[in-house]
Amino acid sequence: MLGLFIVILASCCTASADVSCGYHSCNLGEAEKLNVHLVPHTHDDVGWLKTVDQYYYGSNSSIVIAGVQYILDSVIPQLLSDPSKRFIYVEIAFFSRWWEEQNDAMKENVKQLVQEGRLEFILGGWCMNDEASTHYNAIIDQMTHGLRYLNDTFGACARPRVAWQIDPFGHSREQASLFAQMGFDGLFFGRLDYEDKENREKIRNMEEIWRGSQSLTSPHADLFTGVDENGYNPPDGFCFDAFCRDQPIMDNPALEDYNVEEKVDKFVAAALKQANHFQTNHIMMTMGSDFEYSNSNVWYKNLDKLIKYVNAADKNMTLFYSTPSCYLYALNHANVMWNIKKDDFFPYADAPHQYWTGYFTSRPGLKGYVRESNKYLQVMCQSHKNLQPLQVYSYDGQLSFTWIRDAMGVAQHHDAVSGTSKQHVANDYAKRLYEGFDACSVSSREECNKVISTALTGNNEQLIFCDYLNITLCDLTQSSNQFVVMVYNPLARGVSKYLRIPVKINFYLIILNKFAQQLVPVSEATLSVRRNRGSANCELVFLAKLPALGHNTFQVTKHKTSKTVSLLKTKVEKVINQDVTITNEFYKVKFDGNTGLMASIENIASGITVPVKQDMLWYNASMGNDENINSHTGAYIFRPNVSTPFQCSNGKPQLSIFKGSNLLVQEVYQKFSDWVWQVIRLYAGKKQIEVEWTVGPIPVQDKWGKEIISRYETNLETNGYFYTDSNGREILERRKDYRPTWHLNQSESVAGNYYPVNSRIYIHDNQVQLTVLNDRSQGGSSLSTGQLELMIHRRLLGEDSKGVGEALNETGQFGDGLISRGKHWLLLDTVTSSAKQHRLLAEEIYMSPLVAFQHHAPSTTHIGWKQRRYNYFFESHVTSPLPPNIHLLTLSTTTDGGYIVRVEHQFEKNEDSTLSKPATVSLKNLLTDFHVSSCEELLLGGNAFKQDVTRLNW
Ligand SMILES: *[C@@H]1O[C@H](CO)[C@@H](O)[C@H](O)[C@H]1NC(C)=O
Ligand SMILES: *[C@@H]1O[C@H](CO)[C@@H](O)[C@H](O)[C@H]1NC(C)=O
Ligand SMILES: *[C@@H]1O[C@H](CO)[C@@H](O)[C@H](O)[C@H]1NC(C)=O
Ligand SMILES: *[C@@H]1O[C@H](CO)[C@@H](O)[C@H](O)[C@H]1NC(C)=O
Ligand SMILES: [Zn+2]
């Protein structure tokens, strides 16, 4: 990607940065000594063992005693009473709640502390997001939400300089690139592979420059990156929280347990050991941990003593209160040539056999819903341009899209979308997203829906959303003889999408006339998922052509006619021991009657035919053994008991086939078992193969936890190489049993080769590439040449002892195991023409059109309304569509009536011979609805003007 830039369109003043804050308040220590930066901090998960609300108030303490409100209540007076003390705060989802509860005097005090750099915001996102299962769009939004809150509340002084990802379980390169573009000067984190860490300690390479992009020129995506010595904990023996067990410093020599010398010696030894792993005479110690500092006097009192006694002991070291940015600033002044890193920090293992690669797939339902909600948030923001300016930070719930923004912000947390929270917390995340989606229902749903409808379609008929179209549930469309389908396309280029609308057809009814359409019977798999719900017996399939950033509406009317019969004539046919083929103008997909499996794919235009065998398999989860009790599979850890998975089908899947009368869509159905189903589809005019999987309830009566994968085997000579995306953006090369920067001792031949797949994974030989795109984050790998696999669902009975304390044993609405349904899309083409296809398709997947329904057609008096019989309203909000290599990432209003627009080049350097080239967009004439009076470039996080920010030079 050649660039990611962002622009604000508003008449706005520029603020110059206040010089009394930021780096100017730093203590840089003494040149001749070892300088120990003590960083008091708390790590406050935005939901994990308890929900975000329970953590804030400190309720539900039978699970764990933790209350974020008390932490801030306790720390602020400590800071006010002693100017030498420092504290950092990270999660704005929590801080913003606390702030709203303070009186003016307290607010003034806190502002003062921020101005003086004594209370410093670090990272400043709504949460500390996961890096494996998040999409870059959602990362940018959640960071923006927090960073703009800080700027609005405290001004430029509060702008975080340091990104702080101390707990996420592995680190993506795209995240580094995004941080660099948000103006951060550095990143610190705590978790990396144990072998990588040992090696770095040995060669003093704990800190380096991370090159976050292979497309952006240095230093735009370069980020100074440091590993914390102790994760994010204090050195052994120095946890002084009220809930810690370490000895306090007892400094009255007359008393029995006097321990000053012992403590000083132990600390000095820890500091020297740490200094040995780092390059300069500065080291940073993280003095805090999960939810600590609720009684901060205990910490500060002991740290005061530690500082006093170590400094007095003349040990050639000086201790002081500091912050990560002051430590970073000190490093920036040291004269060191830092190494460059170009790969990423996946996968993460904290010990042999303990690969944190299960969470790439854990909770597929939640992961899918988070992705779906992202689309909804983008549409809401776009539609908002016709509404009054967004009251972004108000909690009154009035016609505010804050809800979905907050919910999405919280959902990106490293125990949320990652799937590593307790079940009741996962339910809470999903509920928040639902309420955000349904924000309108809070006060007056109908009113609000009308407003959205007006913004999107220009008519104020209420919009009706059907959340379960994926399983053919929609009250309106199944029962009504006339309704309107409204489809809104959030992309700034025109697209077409096949819609599938559940309808109930009695034998004499027919649907919209004069429009290519197909009635497809509701599948056996869908009926089994749907159970007793719904009455639709067909899906009405037709192609909706949609304008750039605009909508189209379709009227569906059922009437009596004799022609019905022909529409319904085509039925699903069982196939027994017979090869079958489906084909459209681009692909021919063959299935082998003997195995019941996909056998080959032919790309007709490219003349490529590749044997492709696809199967659904499962790994049995390791329950650990007596010597190594911790090596269970769990929500975080993936550890199959044996490396060869079992087949989901007992023998072979049952095949059936549907070829519609007009070949609009052809489908092959596979039933692998009562709990694993698949449909492979080819739509006319679509250059991709759609694979819809349905898995669950995963049976566990045999006491085996199961992890279900979809595996593709081809004859491509790939020699252990495969490719996965980083947060849905740039692509990284992966290689089996190999890490680019250290010699790997592989302890898990399957799990140790799994990587996050947010949007696509591919393999290729010299000529041909097989790409699989997905609709939610999953773990994936290529374990032997020509093969690739994605883990799509998992249900476990054991626990991996990483803290969550529950089996990942999700249940669905009916009390049995969770059923999950999702899609993969396959592309098979030459290597050179694949990038163009997967880039555009990935964009269409994650910002797919929003489908809603209305009872009636819009009023004919609406200006611009063009009457056509069955397709009568078609409107775009852009003057001309963007070129295919440019993606309109976000479009939203600001509180002062401006607009923030993010536009990105979505192709990597040299990825495509034409589309990778630079492109020019005129923002002035981009949107039809507004006039641009002035325009300024912002940092990616939208919290500062680009011209006001200079990043540190390394
Ligand atoms: C004191 O510490 C500094 C910085 O680590 C080091 O360069 C110096 O050699 C040390 N001096 C002594 C006497 O150990
Ligand atoms: C898993 O869930 C099922 C269904 O709710 C329940 O019967 C079973 O006891 C659970 N097993 C474990 C280990 O949690
Ligand atoms: C269908 O979609 C809804 C809404 O996104 C989701 O909650 C549900 O899990 C999906 N159903 C299946 C079987 O995946
Ligand atoms: C940040 O806050 C300052 C002070 O309130 C304001 O002048 C400036 O416009 C804000 N920056 C952005 C990008 O909104
Ligand atoms: Zn955490």
Side-chain angles (χ1 to χ4, degrees):
M1 296 151 211
L2 297 176
L4 179 63
F5 56 90
I6 113 159
V7 182
I8 182 167
L9 309 173
S11 42
C12 206
C13 41
T14 50
S16 60
D18 185 340
V19 288
S20 72
C21 57
Y23 294 126
H24 300 273
S25 63
C26 288
N27 178 350
L28 296 181
E30 296 175 46
E32 305 305 318
K33 291 187 176 173
L34 178 64
N35 296 287
V36 184
H37 296 248
L38 298 175
V39 175
H41 81 103
T42 180
H43 176 65
D44 298 346
D45 291 306
V46 181
W48 177 38
L49 307 178
K50 309 202 285 191
T51 69
V52 55
D53 292 357
Q54 292 166 351
Y55 272 134
Y56 180 70
Y57 284 119
S59 63
N60 210 350
S61 43
S62 63
I63 293 180
V64 60
I65 298 182
V68 173
Q69 56 173 342
Y70 307 126
I71 296 171
L72 289 158
D73 285 346
S74 166
V75 165
I76 302 300
Q78 289 282 334
L79 296 179
L80 289 171
S81 70
D82 174 4
S84 77
K85 292 196 167 69
R86 296 276 187 278
F87 197 70
I88 57 173
Y89 203 76
V90 178
E91 297 85 4
I92 305 306
F94 284 132
F95 181 82
S96 59
R97 293 176 183 216
W98 182 82
W99 180 255
E100 306 303 330
E101 294 174 356
Q102 304 310 305
N103 62 28
D104 289 346
M106 181 52 108
K107 285 185 176 173
E108 281 314 309
N109 280 334
V110 174
K111 281 183 178 166
Q112 190 63 29
L113 292 174
V114 173
Q115 287 298 316
E116 292 169 13
R118 291 151 66 188
L119 173 65
E120 186 177 302
F121 292 103
I122 293 290
L123 184 71
W126 203 247
C127 72
M128 181 184 296
N129 66 249
D130 175 40
E131 299 189 34
S133 48
T134 41
H135 192 276
Y136 72 95
N137 192 171
I139 295 175
I140 292 172
D141 278 342
Q142 85 83 9
M143 285 301 302
T144 301
H145 194 23
L147 291 172
R148 281 183 61 83
Y149 181 90
L150 287 177
N151 190 63
D152 288 356
T153 311
F154 297 104
C157 258
R159 185 172 71 82
R161 308 301 166 102
V162 164
W164 189 245
Q165 291 287 100
I166 53 178
D167 198 23
F169 331 124
H171 302 278
S172 75
R173 199 181 65 185
E174 187 59 34
Q175 181 88 53
S177 170
L178 298 176
F179 281 148
Q181 295 175 72
M182 288 172 188
F184 285 101
D185 285 322
L187 159 69
F188 293 98
F189 63 69
R191 295 185 187 271
L192 74 168
D193 183 280
Y194 69 102
E195 284 189 324
D196 191 9
K197 188 176 181 198
E198 280 167 19
N199 183 41
R200 286 171 184 280
E201 288 179 344
K202 243 181 267 159
I203 60 171
R204 291 178 180 245
N205 193 30
M206 297 285 271
E207 293 165 329
E208 59 190 346
I209 306 292
W210 197 352
R211 190 145 289 166
S213 167
Q214 54 204 15
S215 292
L216 290 174
T217 53
S218 178
H220 292 300
D222 291 355
L223 188 67
F224 181 92
T225 301
V227 176
D228 292 332
E229 172 85 356
N230 297 303
Y232 54 91
N233 297 308
D236 268 357
F238 294 89
C239 182
F240 295 128
D241 194 64
F243 296 110
C244 285
R245 307 262 155 85
D246 293 345
Q247 293 296 331
I249 295 176
M250 298 176 275
D251 54 350
N252 183 344
L255 299 185
E256 187 62 26
D257 295 314
Y258 178 79
N259 65 358
V260 170
E261 265 97 60
E262 180 198 330
K263 281 283 185 189
V264 168
D265 290 347
K266 195 169 177 191
F267 186 85
V268 168
L272 289 177
K273 180 173 173 233
Q274 179 171 344
N276 232 349
H277 301 152
F278 289 79
Q279 298 253 3
T280 75
N281 65 331
H282 289 263
I283 58 171
M284 173 170 73
M285 285 188 176
T286 43
M287 305 308 277
S289 196
D290 291 4
F291 298 96
E292 292 188 356
Y293 284 80
S294 58
N295 178 355
S296 63
N297 182 52
V298 185
W299 258 114
Y300 280 121
K301 189 166 193 174
N302 283 284
L303 286 176
D304 280 345
K305 290 183 184 177
L306 187 69
I307 291 170
K308 176 173 152 198
Y309 292 116
V310 175
N311 288 351
D314 196 18
K315 300 283 185 181
N316 191 27
M317 63 177 67
T318 173
L319 273 56
F320 46 90
Y321 287 113
S322 187
T323 66
S325 26
C326 289
Y327 170 64
L328 183 78
Y329 197 55
L331 296 182
N332 187 252
H333 281 67
N335 203 5
V336 178
M337 274 292 290
W338 305 97
N339 289 335
I340 307 273
K341 180 180 177 69
K342 295 182 172 172
D343 61 325
D344 65 357
F345 291 95
F346 282 119
Y348 165 57
D350 56 346
H353 307 292
Q354 315 249 335
Y355 278 97
W356 297 45
T357 53
Y359 83 96
F360 300 162
T361 299
S362 295
R363 302 196 186 277
L366 182 64
K367 282 184 165 70
Y369 196 43
V370 169
R371 193 63 64 84
E372 183 74 14
S373 302
N374 179 58
K375 175 181 77 180
Y376 190 72
L377 171 61
Q378 303 313 323
V379 172
M380 289 299 97
C381 290
Q382 293 182 0
S383 73
H384 218 282
K385 59 195 161 42
N386 291 342
L387 307 182
Q388 64 259 62
L390 188 52
Q391 292 300 304
V392 179
Y393 309 121
S394 80
Y395 281 84
D396 61 4
Q398 294 299 312
L399 246 187
S400 159
F401 298 126
T402 309
W403 290 59
I404 178 107
R405 232 187 246 286
D406 287 357
M408 273 296 282
V410 165
Q412 308 311 314
H413 169 60
H414 57 270
D415 295 302
V417 65
S418 59
T420 58
S421 70
K422 282 189 184 286
Q423 184 62 50
H424 79 281
V425 181
N427 296 345
D428 182 66
Y429 290 128
K431 183 169 167 229
R432 278 166 202 277
L433 290 171
Y434 179 74
E435 283 171 354
F437 178 85
D438 216 36
C440 298
S441 69
V442 175
S443 43
S444 53
R445 172 153 206 206
E446 288 196 13
E447 264 319 294
C448 179
N449 257 335
K450 279 182 187 168
V451 180
I452 298 170
S453 173
T454 309
L456 293 180
T457 70
N459 77 73
N460 67 358
E461 272 293 324
Q462 194 190 336
L463 290 177
I464 294 157
F465 293 95
C466 286
D467 299 333
Y468 291 96
L469 285 178
N470 54 352
I471 52 168
T472 66
L473 293 180
C474 183
D475 284 344
L476 175 66
T477 66
Q478 75 187 16
S479 58
S480 173
N481 280 344
Q482 179 174 328
F483 56 90
V484 172
V485 189
M486 194 290 294
V487 196
Y488 177 80
N489 169 25
L491 295 181
R493 63 182 169 89
V495 296
S496 66
K497 182 188 165 78
Y498 277 96
L499 301 183
R500 298 177 76 97
I501 311 295
V503 287
K504 186 176 181 184
I505 301 294
N506 304 328
F507 70 97
Y508 56 84
L509 286 178
I510 186 170
I511 314 270
L512 77 180
N513 211 346
K514 290 188 182 157
F515 212 84
Q517 63 193 287
Q518 184 76 62
L519 286 169
V520 181
V522 170
S523 71
E524 199 189 335
T526 299
L527 290 172
S528 94
V529 176
R530 212 170 81 180
R531 302 189 200 187
N532 58 0
R533 299 167 290 176
S535 63
N537 54 4
C538 279
E539 286 178 276
L540 169 67
V541 177
F542 63 94
L543 186 67
K545 293 197 173 124
L546 306 167
L549 206 72
H551 73 283
N552 201 347
T553 41
F554 304 87
Q555 182 162 8
V556 175
T557 317
K558 305 182 198 168
H559 17 214
K560 279 187 189 178
T561 162
S562 52
K563 285 193 209 140
T564 319
V565 184
S566 68
L567 267 177
L568 273 180
K569 207 170 57 184
T570 37
K571 292 242 157 50
V572 175
E573 286 163 28
K574 283 243 173 332
V575 180
I576 296 163
N577 293 334
Q578 185 191 329
D579 293 356
V580 292
T581 302
I582 49 173
T583 184
N584 67 3
E585 55 269 63
F586 303 108
Y587 284 112
K588 191 179 278 186
V589 187
K590 245 190 206 143
F591 294 81
D592 182 337
N594 292 321
T595 62
L597 300 175
M598 184 190 290
S600 72
I601 298 178
E602 177 183 346
N603 181 318
I604 297 165
S606 311
I608 298 168
T609 304
V610 171
V612 180
K613 180 179 147 196
Q614 185 269 348
D615 206 354
M616 302 291 265
L617 308 160
W618 59 275
Y619 291 109
N620 60 338
S622 166
M623 300 298 279
N625 50 45
D626 294 340
E627 307 98 74
N628 199 350
I629 196 79
N630 284 332
S631 42
H632 290 235
T633 289
Y636 305 86
I637 305 293
F638 173 32
R639 191 182 179 219
N641 210 10
V642 288
S643 54
T644 316
F646 302 88
Q647 282 185 304
C648 291
S649 59
N650 203 349
K652 63 176 191 179
Q654 290 168 23
L655 275 189
S656 37
I657 186 167
F658 172 85
K659 290 191 181 186
S661 53
N662 54 4
L663 304 182
L664 213 54
V665 58
Q666 299 174 43
E667 311 192 331
V668 165
Y669 308 84
Q670 291 171 309
K671 179 180 180 182
F672 290 82
S673 69
D674 286 342
W675 53 280
V676 178
W677 315 73
Q678 201 167 244
V679 192
I680 291 101
R681 299 189 175 108
L682 281 178
Y683 285 106
K686 289 284 174 193
K687 198 173 179 178
Q688 70 235 6
I689 302 160
E690 182 176 301
V691 180
E692 184 180 70
W693 49 266
T694 305
V695 175
I698 299 173
V700 287
Q701 297 85 339
D702 55 13
K703 304 281 181 228
W704 273 352
K706 297 184 183 59
E707 336 212 36
I708 320 305
I709 61 162
S710 170
R711 180 182 277 181
Y712 295 86
E713 288 173 55
T714 71
N715 65 353
L716 302 179
E717 288 285 343
T718 56
N719 303 317
Y721 287 90
F722 58 107
Y723 301 82
T724 60
D725 67 287
S726 186
N727 304 112
R729 205 149 184 266
E730 292 191 17
I731 306 289
L732 274 86
E733 180 179 277
R734 311 296 189 183
R735 199 169 143 193
K736 185 174 184 282
D737 297 330
Y738 175 83
R739 304 289 185 264
T741 60
W742 84 91
H743 176 80
L744 171 71
N745 293 305
Q746 184 62 280
S747 58
E748 285 291 319
S749 60
V750 177
N753 285 307
Y754 258 61
Y755 288 87
V757 180
N758 305 113
S759 64
R760 76 212 81 170
I761 178 171
Y762 57 78
I763 49 174
H764 62 69
D765 62 12
N766 292 334
Q767 262 119 48
V768 177
Q769 174 166 328
L770 174 70
T771 311
V772 181
L773 293 97
N774 56 6
D775 59 356
R776 71 198 69 196
S777 291
Q778 292 162 333
S781 189
S782 170
L783 299 173
S784 59
T785 191
Q787 179 249 66
L788 69 77
E789 67 184 48
L790 284 162
M791 188 193 289
I792 54 186
H793 197 356
R794 55 203 311 252
R795 184 179 188 194
L796 308 169
L797 302 173
E799 212 272 311
D800 52 18
S801 311
K802 301 298 179 194
V804 72
E806 276 180 9
L808 185 71
N809 181 19
E810 291 181 280
T811 48
Q813 261 171 304
F814 295 91
D816 48 5
L818 179 75
I819 304 175
S820 199
R821 170 173 277 188
K823 286 176 186 169
H824 289 156
W825 291 266
L826 316 183
L827 304 172
L828 180 84
D829 213 324
T830 59
V831 175
T832 45
S833 65
S834 287
K836 175 177 175 174
Q837 296 172 53
H838 70 66
R839 285 283 167 211
L840 299 181
L841 181 54
E843 186 192 21
E844 288 172 34
I845 292 168
Y846 92 90
M847 290 260 265
S848 65
L850 182 80
V851 179
F853 303 94
Q854 295 177 314
H855 283 285
H856 309 286
S859 122
T860 47
T861 56
H862 181 74
I863 302 158
W865 185 73
K866 297 181 205 98
Q867 187 159 18
R868 282 183 234 144
R869 185 141 180 226
Y870 295 101
N871 172 8
Y872 51 82
F873 196 83
F874 193 96
E875 190 182 65
S876 170
H877 298 290
V878 287
T879 43
S880 61
L882 288 181
N885 44 4
I886 300 298
H887 176 59
L888 174 67
L889 183 65
T890 65
L891 167 64
S892 58
T893 47
T894 64
T895 31
D896 56 4
Y899 293 83
I900 294 183
V901 183
R902 285 191 183 85
V903 187
E904 65 170 318
H905 195 299
Q906 60 171 343
F907 280 73
E908 287 188 52
K909 197 167 151 185
N910 303 331
E911 198 176 47
D912 186 84
S913 54
T914 41
L915 292 175
S916 284
K917 291 185 180 148
T920 310
V921 189
S922 163
L923 292 168
K924 192 166 174 59
N925 299 319
L926 181 63
L927 297 159
T928 51
D929 307 356
F930 62 79
H931 169 74
V932 178
S933 58
S934 73
C935 172
E936 277 194 83
E937 194 170 1
L938 294 171
L939 294 182
L940 182 56
N943 59 329
F945 296 99
K946 214 167 172 181
Q947 64 184 47
D948 295 341
V949 173
T950 321
R951 294 174 67 216
L952 294 181
N953 233 318
W954 294 91

